[in-house]
Amino acid sequence: MKRSLVILIHLLFVASLQAQPMMSQRLDASIIVMDLKAAQVKLNSLIETHQALILNSSTSGAYSNARQLTLLLSTNQAGFDAFRKELPALGTVRRFDLNTRDNQKEKESIEMELGFYKSQREVYTTEMTKLDPSARNKNYETMWEKARELDQRIFELEKRLLNRKQETSAWEVSLSIEEEHGEPLESADWDFVNMPGLETMVIAVENPKKGVSDAVYAGGGLRYMFTRGKSYLNLQVLKAMNTSSGDSTTARDMFVYGWGSDFYARYFGRGQNQFFNLYSGFVIGGTFMTSETINRHVMHVNPHIGIEIFKNQYMVLDTRVGYFLPLTEKQNQDFRGLTHNLSFNFVF
């Protein structure tokens, strides 16, 4: 009776192991933080709370000067779910990939493949027995080489199958935490895109001079954005709004061209929000100013601050306010002033 009870308990234990879901999950995450030391304190608290095991750990230098921390953690399912929920709170998520593997299905797939190769090996063995190996038969040598290849493949599959049979479930977290460097260019995303678009522009001249400059120039043109960072080329045609038709000396038309680059704010989403991303930047280029009697060209710079009203992977709608600064003394006095732009770009 006692022996039967032991056998029954053993069978129930084996059955419970077979009934367990043989699932493996791995989270690959990359997070940008403002302070690596503070983030590491929070991360250590998470590791201790959920009793995660550190399989691998490395930093980019000495702890006091570390700029990047890389960890590989092993935990249980509850801890894995907690890391998925709490890690995004450390900073700005750059990558957050979840991979799930069904070990049971993979084991069954290996067993099916192994059975096929074993049946092929039996066919070669049967055929080789019909040939005389001492007769230096070319067919025998070819079949012998094929049989050796099958043996090697069978060995590799049996080794993989043994590893899968020893696995039940596993949960791993591969984490990279990088400290924000702070240099403006490093905050930009330099992935190239093809996004043409339209742009309006208004210049409110600060000190218009009679016979030289108008109080307001307005118009529009094209803006071609070629990186998501974002960098772009623009070309606008502006008209004087208040100049009379009989005025032959005041600049009536302005042809403005330039190259611009914008940088997202570190503390307001780094450009990853769908609505209201704050940014600052500049445009540097040239301006052709024409009237009935004068045709001149000046270089200019236009620093600005703006907001992306709406953005997704297909389009960007943004507005910005800046200050138009011609780089020659005379035109700087007569044409400098506030600018306003409204732009719309789309993937082409």
Side-chain angles (χ1 to χ4, degrees):
M1 179 67 180
K2 185 176 181 180
R3 183 178 180 182
S4 300
L5 182 60
V6 171
I7 294 174
L8 178 61
I9 293 174
H10 176 73
L11 291 175
L12 290 174
F13 176 74
V14 172
S16 66
L17 287 178
Q18 293 177 345
Q20 289 180 357
M22 298 175 61
M23 303 293 293
S24 294
Q25 288 188 304
R26 180 184 175 96
L27 175 64
D28 291 298
S30 177
I31 299 175
I32 305 296
V33 299
M34 304 305 301
D35 187 340
L36 184 60
K37 290 184 179 179
Q40 191 167 15
V41 171
K42 295 179 182 178
L43 181 61
N44 289 338
S45 177
L46 284 175
I47 293 173
E48 293 177 3
T49 300
H50 303 294
Q51 298 180 344
L53 176 64
I54 301 177
L55 301 178
N56 190 17
S57 174
S58 64
T59 59
S60 61
Y63 176 78
S64 58
N65 297 316
R67 304 295 292 273
Q68 185 173 9
L69 172 66
T70 303
L71 288 172
L72 179 61
L73 306 173
S74 177
T75 182
N76 53 30
Q77 185 172 6
F80 185 83
D81 293 338
F83 276 103
R84 286 179 57 191
K85 181 180 179 181
E86 299 179 35
L87 281 179
L90 293 178
T92 301
V93 176
R94 176 174 288 178
R95 187 181 74 255
F96 208 77
D97 300 330
L98 177 64
N99 298 300
T100 301
R101 185 181 68 193
D102 189 335
N103 293 332
Q104 179 63 31
K105 288 185 178 180
E106 187 172 352
K107 183 173 76 71
E108 293 173 356
S109 176
I110 294 174
E111 289 175 342
M112 182 181 298
E113 189 176 1
L114 184 60
F116 171 76
Y117 283 118
K118 284 184 175 180
S119 64
Q120 289 291 101
R121 182 65 175 89
E122 291 176 1
V123 171
Y124 276 98
T125 301
T126 303
E127 293 297 323
M128 288 171 64
T129 58
K130 300 177 182 179
L131 300 175
D132 182 7
S134 62
R136 295 185 177 274
N137 191 303
K138 187 175 181 180
N139 289 336
Y140 182 88
E141 294 178 358
T142 301
M143 296 181 70
W144 188 87
E145 290 293 336
K146 291 289 186 180
R148 297 287 73 77
E149 292 177 5
L150 287 172
D151 288 339
Q152 180 63 30
R153 184 59 178 162
I154 290 171
F155 171 76
E156 293 173 355
L157 288 173
E158 287 180 338
K159 186 166 64 174
R160 284 179 56 194
L161 183 60
L162 179 62
N163 292 334
R164 292 295 173 265
K165 286 182 177 180
Q166 293 174 347
E167 289 183 0
T168 53
S169 299
W171 293 271
E172 290 184 346
V173 178
S174 177
L175 177 62
S176 174
I177 301 178
E178 184 177 355
E179 187 175 80
E180 170 67 56
H181 297 293
E183 291 83 356
L185 291 179
E186 292 184 354
S187 67
D189 182 355
W190 294 99
D191 292 336
F192 285 94
V193 294
N194 181 24
M195 297 186 71
L198 303 174
E199 182 173 64
T200 64
M201 183 175 186
V202 177
I203 302 178
V205 179
E206 183 177 339
N207 298 306
K209 185 176 181 180
K210 186 175 181 179
V212 177
S213 59
D214 197 1
V216 178
Y217 291 87
L222 304 175
R223 184 177 78 159
Y224 176 70
M225 192 164 70
F226 55 89
T227 74
R228 293 188 185 277
K230 54 192 185 284
S231 296
Y232 49 86
L233 301 172
N234 57 19
L235 175 65
Q236 290 102 14
V237 179
L238 309 181
K239 296 286 187 178
M241 295 290 100
N242 303 312
T243 302
S244 62
S245 58
D247 190 337
S248 62
T249 59
T250 300
R252 302 173 62 86
D253 301 312
M254 296 176 66
F255 300 91
V256 183
Y257 66 91
W259 169 79
S261 189
D262 298 336
F263 308 103
Y264 295 111
R266 296 171 63 185
Y267 298 97
F268 294 92
R270 294 174 53 87
Q272 297 186 3
N273 299 325
Q274 189 172 18
F275 297 96
F276 304 117
N277 290 298
L278 182 66
Y279 66 87
S280 61
F282 63 89
V283 176
I284 186 168
T287 304
F288 290 97
M289 304 174 181
T290 64
S291 67
E292 294 182 8
T293 59
I294 297 175
N295 187 355
R296 65 173 67 93
H297 175 266
V298 296
M299 300 299 295
H300 73 267
V301 64
N302 187 355
H304 57 254
I305 186 170
I307 293 178
E308 290 179 341
I309 301 172
F310 173 79
K311 179 177 75 172
N312 60 20
Q313 58 182 328
Y314 304 109
M315 63 185 69
V316 178
L317 175 65
D318 66 279
T319 182
R320 65 182 187 271
V321 176
Y323 199 81
F324 182 77
L325 286 169
L327 298 180
T328 59
E329 182 178 357
K330 180 61 177 175
Q331 278 70 42
N332 184 281
Q333 294 176 356
D334 299 336
F335 288 92
R336 70 188 182 196
L338 291 173
T339 63
H340 176 258
N341 297 72
L342 179 66
S343 307
F344 176 73
N345 288 83
F346 54 91
V347 174
F348 184 77

